[in-house]
């Protein structure tokens, strides 16, 4: 049973995916039951594993594909951090997506790839070796392409093309790095750091750079971020998933794995590659915010904000100090909760009130009060107002920067906070203080759209307020760092 | 042993029978016979799996007096893959080649030619004698050229003529090499040649045979005949031509360089072969990228994909001195041959469905067809995943094994070509996929029977399964592997 557990968790999304493809378009009931049932089952298994792993247990499954090609699925504390996020948000996004699409056509295809995408994310989280990680990384690319292209109109298809144009060369770089490294060290397992002495420092630096290019495309590091704002053409539930859980998080999670489980923090510092990466992450943080400021479409502004915010995680990992790492890991969760709230709300504004542009938000606070409260909480969290989620992340990142001997990080954080405020506060002002246009319409008559946003917004507040408790994301991130990477 | 006899003789016997049958009985007989051959191929795989290589001395005479037939793991795997492709093509062709659709001549001519091709392929896979191989590959070329010419249009005849010139020139070069080898050693048996006393004409003989086989395998710069020939043939014929025919001449190259004369493999010669392969990967990919017709894209993709096979030479070849990476490279190239066969056949069959549905394979006309033919669109996308070498497909296993060996051998440029070739494949296959999945069908599609739609989907799914279940074909390929490819990994 314990050996089969990782596979079981994977199957809770793979089986719904496989079955959904073959369902008739109008079998809504069966499809929804299947997808929600899988999500609930998965959440149950994860809660079970959370308690077990906190008590010191671990689960592992090995599936040999060919000699040297072994699929290793493993549950460790870091895997659980990512998988809890994806399972929770998948469940909520499924409810949201069911309400969002209603009876539109081609839903079996959509939910099939939607589940496949979550299966890929789950597999990515559970991967215990580099090659397993790569296999699920590719599966993620392949399953998100149809989601981005879902509307099949010109902008969607062009966004999907841009996505692949970035993703596939990125994965070629990643495969190149993996095989180069493994040809010198043998298969790399995350539990068992490889012996890097077989390669000279120049080769190691090149391999590290290739790794970062490979996962950096998904993490939307500047200058590899161009696909992310373009992917806005996708339907709102896809954007929510892309920005909060699936693609960008897979990239950020990859950075964490590469720094801590492949190279090891000490080697990253010794090779001198941590600081350049931290600098690149800082550039991304600032650049994303500056570009966000220039957008007048809500989803575009949120997209550039994602570019900026995801790099907090990369920054935390690259600084390679324990506190910075806690900050980065906890931001993996915090950013996910806040950003999915914002995207849920952006989708509701679009769907229920036809508002796509920022100017359309004038006075929306009165027409769509629940949505607007959630949006405001998400935005304030992003800015980093205490005691909301974003503040906790920034606090630890700042401390971590000092601990790593990089006080300039404080400057980056301060600048970013100011920029965040500059691009989010005008939205809140429009929502609550400006009069609505005379022809404005809209209401919140679809509770299944609004409830997920309320839940995630509440969670984003909760994880900040209760950060000190051991079962909070912060508590779990601290456990990861002290147990697995502690001095 | 009886399975070996069936896969060799039943195709040829059925080819003759079909000529005599009335029109209505042809398809049932071909399908029944195909099913039998697929079963026999399965039995042969099982026999090799459990008992090692199966050998048959024809007429009870052992070489040098008689002719030996031998099914090692590689031959069994290729026979199985060919049987699956042939069976699938036969299933699809019965819908496509009805006389009312393509005329009586094509509807009649396809079946005997296909079976002749099948018998010739299996003969090449099993032969251990250079002259016997010559006969097999001649028969193969004749059937292939006739298949290209089948439609009888001026374009098809021109393509067939060009193909025939290359095929004949290749045969002559090969035959000249065979004559030289026979003159020097008095035997043409591969096993006996391996233990021969070296003669100074050996290098020339090997060079001549290799040049001839390269022309038949369409390695750059001998590839110019392939795209018009493969794209010009009727779709089921294109599937056979691209998926299977080049594999036969490639297999003879492997038999020559790894089994008959491994001692002659100099570093420079191996490097040249792989360099041509690398150019083929890039050049074929670039040309595929600029084509406007689906069948031409698929055909140029074959030029590119065949290029990967030639990385086997510097990575696994050589004089048999210890190379710890050799086995990985050898198996990787064979995985490429198998998965390309399945995926490429699936792709040409989908092209056939599109042509039957809308009467065109221009990319512009394919817009939105995924909506009316979803199974076919899905099959194309799955086959594309294999050709791009993305996990978890057979193409990925091939690429992974080859790349690992390239790094282990310190020959990373080949790995760079493998990675770049995958990106190029993604680029050229993206265009048809994007067209298929775009909104708004430009041309109304005629309905296509579900069985026909399912055939390429099954083949494409098999090419993915080959990666998911790599362990089984991997072990099969190791049975009776030539000694120079036996070290390590």
């Amino acid at each position: 049973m314990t050996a089969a557990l990782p596979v079981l968790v994977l199957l809770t999304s793979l089986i719904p995916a496989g079955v959904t493809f073959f369902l008739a378009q109008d079998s809504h009931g069966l499809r929804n039951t299947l997808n929600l049932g899988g999500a609930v089952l998965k959440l149950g298994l994860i809660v079970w594993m959370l308690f077990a792993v906190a008590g010191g247990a671990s689960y592992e499954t090995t599936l040999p594909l060919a000699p040297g090609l072994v699929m290793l699925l493993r549950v460790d504390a870091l895997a659980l951090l990512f998988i809890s996020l994806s399972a929770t948000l998948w469940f909520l996004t499924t409810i949201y997506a069911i309400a969002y699409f209603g009876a539109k056509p081609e839903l079996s295809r959509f939910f099939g790839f939607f589940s496949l995408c979550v299966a890929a994310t789950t597999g990515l989280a559970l991967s215990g070796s580099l090659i397993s990680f790569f296999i699920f990384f590719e599966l993620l690319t392949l399953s998100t392409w149809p989601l981005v292209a879902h509307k099949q109109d010109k902008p969607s298809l062009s966004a999907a093309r841009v996505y692949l144009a970035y993703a596939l060369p990125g994965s070629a770089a990643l495969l190149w790095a993996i095989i180069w490294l493994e040809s010198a060290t043998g298969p790399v397992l995350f539990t068992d750091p490889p012996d890097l002495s077989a390669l000279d420092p120049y080769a190691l630096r090149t391999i590290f750079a290739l790794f970062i290019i490979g996962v950096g495309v998904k993490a939307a590091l500047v200058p590899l971020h161009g696909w992310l704002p373009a992917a806005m053409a996708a339907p709102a539930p896809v954007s929510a998933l892309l920005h909060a859980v699936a693609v960008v998080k897979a990239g950020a999670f990859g950075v964490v794995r590469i720094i801590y489980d492949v190279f090891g923090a000490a080697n990253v510092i010794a090779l001198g590659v941590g600081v350049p990466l931290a600098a690149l992450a800082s550039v991304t943080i600032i650049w994303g915010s500056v570009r966000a400021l220039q957008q007048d479409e809500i989803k575009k502004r949120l997209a550039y904000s994602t570019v900026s915010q995801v790099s907090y995680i990369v920054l935390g990992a690259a600084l390679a100090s324990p506190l910075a790492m806690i900050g980065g890991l906890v931001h993996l969760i915090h950013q996910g909760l806040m950003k999915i709230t914002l995207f849920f709300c952006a989708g509701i504004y679009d769907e229920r009130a036809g508002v796509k542009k920022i100017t359309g938000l004038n006075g929306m606070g009165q027409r769509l009060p629940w949505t607007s409260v959630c949006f405001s909480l998400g935005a304030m969290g992003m800015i980093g107002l205490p005691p909301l989620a974003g503040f906790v992340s920034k606090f630890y990142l700042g401390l971590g920067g000092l601990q790593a001997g990089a006080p300039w990080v404080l400057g980056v954080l301060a600048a970013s906070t100011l920029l965040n405020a500059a691009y989010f506060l005008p939205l809140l002002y429009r929502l609550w203080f400006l009069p609505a246009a005379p022809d404005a319409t809209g209401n919140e008559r679809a509770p299944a759209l609004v409830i997920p946003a309320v839940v995630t917004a509440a969670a984003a507040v909760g994880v900040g307020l209760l950060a000190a408790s051991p079962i909070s994301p912060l508590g779990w991130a601290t456990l990861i760092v002290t147990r697995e990477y502690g001095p | 042993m009886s399975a070996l006899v069936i896969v060799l003789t039943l195709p040829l016997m059925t080819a003759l029978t079909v000529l005599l049958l009335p029109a209505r009985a042809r398809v049932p007989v071909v399908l029944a016979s195909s099913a039998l051959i697929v079963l026999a191929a399965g039995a042969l795989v099982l026999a090799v799996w459990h008992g090692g290589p199966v050998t048959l001395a024809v007429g009870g005479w052992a070489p040098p007096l008689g002719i030996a037939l031998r099914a090692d793991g590689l031959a069994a795997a290729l026979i199985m893959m060919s049987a699956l492709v042939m069976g699938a093509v036969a299933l699809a062709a019965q819908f496509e080649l009805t006389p009312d659709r393509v005329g009586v001549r094509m509807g009649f001519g396809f079946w005997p030619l296909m079976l002749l091709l099948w018998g010739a392929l299996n003969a090449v896979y099993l032969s251990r004698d250079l002259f016997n191989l010559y006969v097999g590959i001649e028969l193969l070329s004749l059937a292939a050229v006739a298949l290209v010419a089948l439609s009888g249009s001026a374009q098809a005849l021109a393509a067939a003529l060009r193909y025939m010139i290359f095929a004949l020139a290749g045969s002559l070069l090969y035959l000249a090499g065979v004559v030289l080898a026979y003159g020097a050693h008095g035997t043409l048996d591969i096993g006996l040649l391996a233990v021969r006393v070296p003669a100074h004409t050996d290098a020339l003989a090997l060079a001549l045979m290799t040049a001839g086989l390269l022309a038949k395998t369409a390695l750059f710069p001998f590839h110019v005949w392939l795209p018009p020939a493969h794209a010009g043939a009727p779709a089921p014929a294109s599937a056979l031509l691209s998926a299977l025919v080049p594999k036969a001449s490639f297999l003879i190259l492997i038999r020559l360089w790894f089994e008959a004369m491994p001692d002659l493999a100099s570093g420079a010669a191996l490097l040249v072969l792989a360099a041509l392969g690398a150019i083929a990967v890039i050049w074929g990919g670039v040309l595929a990228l600029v084509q406007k017709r689906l069948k031409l894209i698929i055909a140029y993709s074959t030029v590119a994909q065949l290029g990967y096979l030639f990385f086997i030479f510097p990575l696994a070849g050589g004089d048999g001195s210890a190379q710890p990476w050799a086995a990985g490279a050898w198996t990787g190239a064979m995985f490429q041959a198998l998965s390309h066969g399945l995926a490429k056949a699936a792709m040409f069959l989908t092209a056939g469905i599109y042509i039957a549905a809308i009467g065109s394979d221009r990319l512009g006309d394919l817009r939105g067809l995924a909506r009316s033919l979803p199974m076919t669109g899905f099959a194309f996308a799955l086959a594309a995943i294999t050709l791009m070498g993305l996990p978890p497909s057979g193409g990925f296993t091939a690429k992974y094994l080859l790349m690992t060996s390239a790094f282990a051998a310190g020959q990373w440029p080949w790995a760079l070509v493998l990675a770049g070739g995958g990106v190029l494949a993604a680029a050229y296959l993206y265009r048809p996929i994007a067209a298929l999945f775009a909104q708004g069908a430009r041309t109304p599609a005629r309905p296509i029977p579900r069985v026909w739609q399912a055939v390429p989907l099954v083949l494409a799914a098999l090419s993915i399964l080959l990666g998911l279940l790599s362990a089984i074909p991997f072990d099969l390929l190791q049975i009776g592997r030539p000694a120079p490819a036996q070290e390590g990994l």
Side-chain angles (χ1 to χ4, degrees), chain B residues 158-381:
Chain B
L161 194 65
R162 181 156 23 161
Y163 182 16
M164 193 165 75
I165 291 169
F166 271 88
L168 279 182
S171 301
L172 284 177
L173 286 169
Y174 176 79
L175 193 60
V178 171
V179 170
L180 271 182
Y182 189 73
H185 306 292
T187 182
L188 290 172
D189 181 79
I190 287 175
L192 294 176
L193 280 175
V195 293
R196 76 200 185 286
V197 181
H200 62 274
T201 54
D202 282 356
L204 182 60
L206 184 63
L208 285 169
M209 289 190 281
T210 302
L213 293 168
L214 291 184
K216 284 176 180 286
T217 318
L219 181 66
F220 180 93
F222 306 113
H223 66 284
V224 288
W225 61 266
L226 187 146
H230 288 193
S238 308
L240 303 179
L241 293 171
S242 259
L244 305 177
V245 174
K247 309 291 158 55
S249 42
F250 175 72
L251 180 71
I252 304 180
L253 278 171
I254 296 299
R255 299 276 189 232
L256 285 175
W257 285 77
F258 285 84
E259 295 182 42
M261 306 178 171
D263 51 309
L264 285 183
S266 71
L270 298 171
L271 197 66
V272 168
L273 285 171
L276 291 178
I279 298 172
V281 169
I282 306 298
W283 186 234
V286 169
L287 285 178
L289 201 51
V290 299
Q291 301 304 319
K292 294 192 168 58
R293 283 184 47 210
L294 181 61
K295 284 184 79 179
L296 275 171
I297 294 178
I298 308 176
Y300 275 106
S301 152
T302 298
V303 172
Q305 298 278 329
L306 291 173
Y308 292 134
L309 297 175
F310 289 84
F311 296 156
I312 194 177
F313 290 102
L315 293 176
D319 50 9
S321 61
Q323 295 180 105
W325 55 83
W330 190 86
T331 316
M334 295 315 157
F335 258 95
Q336 168 68 14
L338 296 174
S339 57
H340 173 254
L342 294 168
K344 190 49 66 78
M347 247 183 207
F348 267 120
L349 290 181
T350 60
I353 290 177
Y354 291 134
I355 292 172
I358 61 166
S360 157
D361 71 333
R362 298 201 162 272
L363 283 189
D365 298 332
L366 293 178
R367 276 183 70 88
L369 272 185
R371 193 168 296 238
S372 41
L373 298 166
M375 262 157 84
T376 313
F378 198 51
F380 190 91

Side-chain angles (χ1 to χ4, degrees), chain B residues 78-151:
Chain B
L78 283 168
I79 287 172
M80 191 69 226
M81 186 270 280
S82 303
L84 290 170
V85 168
M86 283 280 178
V89 166
L91 266 179
Q94 60 161 325
F95 298 104
E96 188 158 2
L97 299 174
T98 49
D100 61 304
R101 211 190 281 270
V102 292
V104 175
R105 195 169 66 116
M106 203 196 288
F108 168 71
F110 177 78
W111 301 109
L113 286 174
M114 172 196 130
L115 289 156
L116 194 63
L117 193 77
W118 197 346
L121 273 172
N122 285 347
V124 169
Y125 295 150
L126 293 169
S127 294
R128 307 290 298 171
D129 176 280
L130 294 186
F131 187 74
N132 219 1
L133 284 168
Y134 168 76
V135 174
I137 199 136
E138 263 317 89
L139 200 58
L140 187 73
S141 296
L142 285 177
V145 169
L147 279 172
V148 172
L150 205 52
S151 77

Side-chain angles (χ1 to χ4, degrees), chain A residues 65 68 106 138 152 161 176, chain B residues 371 390 416 437 439 470-471:
Chain A
L65 298 180
E106 320 232 35
E138 285 306 285
Q152 290 176 267
R161 189 187 69 233
W176 178 260
Chain B
R371 193 168 296 238
L390 297 178
L416 195 61
F437 285 89
Q439 210 169 30
S470 293

Side-chain angles (χ1 to χ4, degrees), chain A residues 65-69 106 131 134-135 138 142 145 151-153 157 160-161 164 168-169 172 175-176 179-180 182-183, chain B residues 371 385 390-391 396-397 399-400 403-404 407-408 412 415-416 419 423 426 430 433-434 437-439 468 470-471 474:
Chain A
L65 298 180
L69 259 179
E106 320 232 35
I131 205 75
F134 179 77
I135 289 173
E138 285 306 285
L142 295 178
W145 181 82
K151 289 185 205 157
Q152 290 176 267
D153 52 7
L157 282 172
R161 189 187 69 233
L164 278 194
L168 289 175
L175 183 63
W176 178 260
I179 294 182
W180 188 351
E182 292 197 344
S183 68
Chain B
R371 193 168 296 238
I385 288 173
L390 297 178
F396 171 68
T397 308
K399 205 155 118 179
Y400 175 83
M403 277 179 97
T404 314
F407 272 110
W412 59 268
L416 195 61
V423 174
Y430 181 80
I433 292 178
F437 285 89
Q439 210 169 30
L468 274 177
S470 293
F474 190 97

